[in-house]
Amino acid sequence: TVLAAIKHNHLSNLIDVFLGKEDVTKQKPDPEIISEALAKLSGSKQSSLIVGDGDKDILAGKNAGITAVLFYPEKNKRFYSLSKLQAFRPDFTITKFDQLLDIVN
């Protein structure tokens, strides 16, 4: 589903590595998938972040030692409690993806 959306929205040129649950042995919140991505990209923890909409994403980022950004758009209020997600202590919370520019700049 994700790969189809990436192709449909012409985003393939922006993605260097794509990993899914089939590419790792441990699932989030274990940091394995983040470590694998960093290794494939020769990335550093200091220059990396994870953007996610759930507790496992935030915890995976915390467990990997990278910045964790909670994505909490209006529509997620139907599914997730902001206060419960904030309890996992994301480094930032955004409601729109363009807010990432303020974080990375």
Side-chain angles (χ1 to χ4, degrees):
T1 304
V2 174
L3 289 174
I6 289 168
K7 287 181 182 180
H8 176 76
N9 291 291
H10 309 287
L11 300 173
S12 298
N13 62 322
L14 299 174
I15 299 172
D16 294 321
V17 173
F18 181 87
L19 298 172
K21 64 181 179 181
E22 61 278 348
D23 297 308
V24 293
T25 58
K26 300 173 189 166
Q27 304 301 306
K28 292 181 288 183
D30 188 277
E32 180 186 9
I33 197 163
I34 294 170
S35 298
E36 184 70 21
L38 288 173
K40 288 182 177 287
L41 293 166
S42 299
S44 71
K45 291 181 181 185
Q46 296 79 15
S47 64
S48 301
L49 59 82
I50 183 171
V51 179
D53 64 357
D55 59 327
K56 290 184 174 83
D57 303 316
I58 301 307
L59 288 172
K62 294 289 186 179
N63 291 337
I66 65 171
T67 299
V69 180
L70 173 62
F71 178 57
Y72 193 74
E74 183 72 29
K75 68 179 182 174
N76 282 20
K77 291 179 181 179
R78 294 180 283 169
F79 307 108
Y80 303 107
S81 161
L82 180 59
S83 62
K84 287 183 181 177
L85 291 172
Q86 290 288 359
F88 294 99
R89 300 177 24 165
D91 297 293
F92 299 94
T93 299
I94 60 172
T95 57
K96 297 177 185 168
F97 274 115
D98 63 356
Q99 293 170 307
L100 279 174
L101 294 173
D102 294 330
I103 294 169
V104 299
N105 290 329

